[in-house]
Amino acid sequence: MDLCHRLRDAAKPYWDASVNHRFVDQLLAGDIADEVFGRYLVQDFRFCDTFVRLLGAAVCAADDPEARLTHARQLSVLAGGEYRYFIDSFEALNIPESQWKNPTLSEPTQAFIALMEKACDSQDYALMLVVLVVAEWLYLEWAQRAGNTLPPRPEHRDWIVLHNEPDFVRWVGFLCNELNRVGAERDFETLREPFVEACQIEQRFFDMAFDGMR
Ligand SMILES: Cc1ncc(CO)c(N)n1
């Protein structure tokens, strides 16, 4: 088994709970409450801001010119299509700028930001890749649960498509190959610990969307 699959196995309870979370069930069915999805998107917009910093750090820390360009290209996706997705969805969900510009950060948002900032500050490419692989591979796995019929509302449908379209599949494949490559000579435990922590936070992030709901 390659390194990425060994890491995923080590985090299996949290990984599976996230991929099969009721948040995902309801999003794929298109029947997620606007209040739940809106709360999630407002927090995720802040997650993505720090995620951009992490990708920038990966551009800096990567040991290979081709890899630097691949990270740089993905930055343009976040700054382009994904940014537009958030703005359009806040409008569709009637979430005013005052609510998404400066929200109170939930516990899992804070925890994820702290983990990403730690990876940035470490200047350790392998550690950055651990966090990138969890965030992107786990999102690919839940989005690949989607069948042929996608939910009709763009804010639901586009969030799924952003995470299972062919470009995203290639991006995740790249990240896993990079971690398998640069993580090969690293002590497994030093990678396992942040990998599992990131998976635990992913689960709490989906839980958080339902805070205050039944
Ligand atoms: C919390 C979270 N994890 C992963 C992704 C995918 O980048 C995201 N948008 N949000």
Side-chain angles (χ1 to χ4, degrees):
M1 211 186 334
D2 67 27
L3 173 62
C4 285
H5 284 87
R6 281 164 57 215
L7 288 167
R8 188 181 62 172
D9 264 17
K12 192 170 176 24
Y14 316 108
W15 184 280
D16 291 349
S18 302
V19 169
N20 299 301
H21 201 282
R22 64 174 162 148
F23 179 93
V24 177
D25 298 341
Q26 294 175 14
L27 173 61
L28 296 178
D31 61 7
I32 194 158
D34 283 0
E35 191 189 334
V36 171
F37 195 57
R39 184 183 294 112
Y40 165 88
L41 278 188
V42 166
Q43 294 295 317
D44 208 57
F45 186 65
R46 296 301 305 268
F47 164 92
C48 285
D49 172 54
T50 308
F51 195 80
V52 164
R53 294 186 54 203
L54 179 59
L55 269 179
V59 171
C60 244
D63 57 354
D64 173 69
E66 287 290 329
R68 282 191 276 279
L69 289 174
T70 304
H71 290 297
R73 281 187 205 104
Q74 192 61 23
L75 273 171
S76 79
V77 174
L78 283 156
E82 188 155 319
Y83 178 77
R84 262 191 313 276
Y85 164 82
F86 278 108
I87 300 306
D88 292 349
S89 299
F90 290 144
E91 193 172 314
L93 292 163
N94 275 311
I95 299 171
E97 186 171 317
S98 59
Q99 260 183 56
W100 57 259
K101 269 263 160 89
N102 258 313
T104 306
L105 298 186
S106 72
E107 179 282 327
T109 312
Q110 290 180 39
F112 232 135
I113 288 173
L115 184 63
M116 291 192 281
E117 286 182 341
K118 193 169 150 187
C120 284
D121 292 346
S122 75
Q123 300 183 35
D124 178 349
Y125 186 40
L127 188 54
M128 295 170 192
L129 284 168
V130 163
V131 182
L132 289 170
V133 163
V134 171
E136 303 294 62
W137 190 14
L138 191 149
Y139 265 52
L140 173 65
E141 280 217 347
W142 73 246
Q144 283 183 330
R145 288 181 49 208
N148 286 330
T149 47
L150 290 168
R153 284 168 61 182
E155 59 272 32
H156 299 155
R157 192 181 57 229
D158 294 349
W159 194 236
I160 299 163
V161 172
L162 272 171
H163 295 103
N164 68 10
E165 61 194 351
D167 279 349
F168 194 75
V169 174
R170 277 188 285 276
W171 161 239
V172 173
F174 160 80
L175 288 175
C176 290
N177 287 337
E178 282 293 273
L179 183 54
N180 287 335
R181 180 176 68 81
V182 307
E185 62 259 49
R186 299 286 291 258
D187 173 37
F188 182 73
E189 187 55 29
T190 61
L191 303 177
R192 190 200 60 82
E193 204 243 344
F195 191 99
V196 172
E197 188 190 348
C199 292
Q200 290 170 332
I201 302 171
E202 288 286 8
Q203 184 181 353
R204 297 207 301 281
F205 205 95
F206 283 144
D207 290 344
M208 164 274 293
F210 294 90
D211 280 356
M213 306 281 289
R214 272 189 304 121

